[in-house]
Amino acid sequence: MKLFSFPAAALEKAIHKRILSLPPEHREWFAERWQQKPYKKSFIENKAMPLVTLVAKGKTWDDETFTQGLAEWDVTFYEAEAEVLRPLVEGDGLIQLMQKNLPPERAQALLARLQVRRPTGNPTAATD
């Protein structure tokens, strides 16, 4: 889903800032992985950037296009990853202007999408 060009460096900076405010168990888990270049690149390309695109384009897309874009974003999240990304939907920091005028039902759909968990025995991953 390469429909929106958002500066990756700015997104990385926002994620790094968010890591500092995570609860200790999530901060430790995420920071350890964030230090690894392949994980960082994959996280930005497959999870963070598509979320930013859905937030930015979600204001103007019709319902069918938004639903299709959300369905095409085929990823699952660890709890710590969702904690890092949730503020991008809820109106924190860097992309606040993009979040303005995002219909509440679309914001809720994005937040619900962040609840999709990987099946794992990891205690920091939710198994709702």
Side-chain angles (χ1 to χ4, degrees):
M1 181 187 333
K2 187 76 172 168
L3 303 170
F4 180 72
S5 180
F6 190 80
L11 188 55
E12 285 183 31
K13 183 178 177 182
I15 290 169
H16 182 72
K17 183 179 174 185
R18 175 66 181 135
I19 292 170
L20 301 175
S21 64
L22 288 173
E25 68 278 4
H26 293 315
R27 181 179 31 221
E28 184 178 316
W29 185 94
F30 191 82
E32 181 181 309
R33 283 152 184 82
W34 187 246
Q35 304 261 336
Q36 301 168 13
K37 192 173 183 174
Y39 174 84
K40 182 186 244 182
K41 183 178 185 209
S42 175
F43 183 78
I44 293 290
E45 290 177 2
N46 299 322
K47 294 181 179 181
M49 198 61 76
L51 177 63
V52 170
T53 300
L54 286 166
V55 168
K57 298 289 187 174
K59 298 183 292 189
T60 57
W61 281 347
D62 59 46
D63 289 340
E64 183 179 329
T65 306
F66 180 78
T67 303
Q68 181 181 358
L70 195 57
E72 289 173 1
W73 188 33
D74 187 27
V75 292
T76 54
F77 300 93
Y78 290 102
E79 181 65 30
E81 293 174 332
E83 287 298 315
V84 167
L85 294 174
R86 192 170 288 117
L88 297 179
V89 178
E90 293 175 336
D92 182 42
L94 160 90
I95 63 171
Q96 246 172 345
L97 289 176
M98 279 194 274
Q99 295 151 337
K100 194 175 186 177
N101 301 325
L102 179 67
E105 62 277 2
R106 292 193 179 175
Q108 287 304 317
L110 290 170
L111 289 171
R113 186 69 180 89
L114 293 177
Q115 297 305 313
V116 176
R117 298 284 180 251
R118 293 183 182 271
T120 180
N122 185 339
T124 59
T127 55
D128 298 305

